[in-house]
Amino acid sequence: VAPVVEEFFFRAVVLVSLYTVLRRPFGKLTAGMVAALGSTALFVVMHGISGAADVSGVVSLSLLGLVCALLVLLTGRIWGAVLVHVVYNASYVALALLASAMT
C-alpha cells in the first residue's frame, strides 16, 4: 500500500503540480528537471524524517525518486513508477530477510 500512496502523492500531486506551474514560464525541459528534483528532494526528506538518513539510504532513495519521476514525466502515467517502487521495496525486504536468515 505504501508505494501506491507515496507515488500518488510525490509524483501525481507534487511532481505534476510543479511541472504544471513551471511549464509556461520556464519551458518543458526546465519545468521537468525542477519538478523531478523537487519531488525527489521532498521524497528523500520525508523518508529521512522516518529514519533512512544514512548516506546509502539517501543515495538509494534519491535514485528511486529520480527514476520514478522520470518515468512519470516520460510516459505521462503513474503505474510504471508504482511498479518500480513496489519492486524496490520488495527487494529491500527480501534482502533483509535473507541477511537475517544467514546470521
Side-chain angles (χ1 to χ4, degrees), residues 25-45:
F26 298 105
K28 291 180 181 180
L29 182 62
T30 303
M33 289 188 325
V34 171
L37 292 173
S39 68
T40 297
L42 185 59
F43 179 73
V44 171
V45 166

Side-chain angles (χ1 to χ4, degrees), residues 17-103:
S17 296
L18 280 172
Y19 179 78
T20 302
V21 167
L22 298 173
R23 187 183 58 205
R24 276 198 180 175
F26 298 105
K28 291 180 181 180
L29 182 62
T30 303
M33 289 188 325
V34 171
L37 292 173
S39 68
T40 297
L42 185 59
F43 179 73
V44 171
V45 166
M46 293 306 291
H47 281 82
I49 290 171
S50 66
D54 62 333
V55 174
S56 65
V58 170
V59 170
S60 63
L61 287 171
S62 297
L63 291 173
L64 174 65
L66 286 173
V67 166
C68 291
L70 289 174
L71 276 170
V72 171
L73 288 170
L74 294 173
T75 65
R77 304 199 186 305
I78 191 76
W79 296 108
V82 171
L83 181 62
V84 167
H85 198 145
V86 167
V87 169
Y88 173 84
N89 284 8
S91 66
Y92 182 83
V93 170
L95 289 172
L97 290 173
L98 181 63
S100 68
M102 295 181 78
T103 57

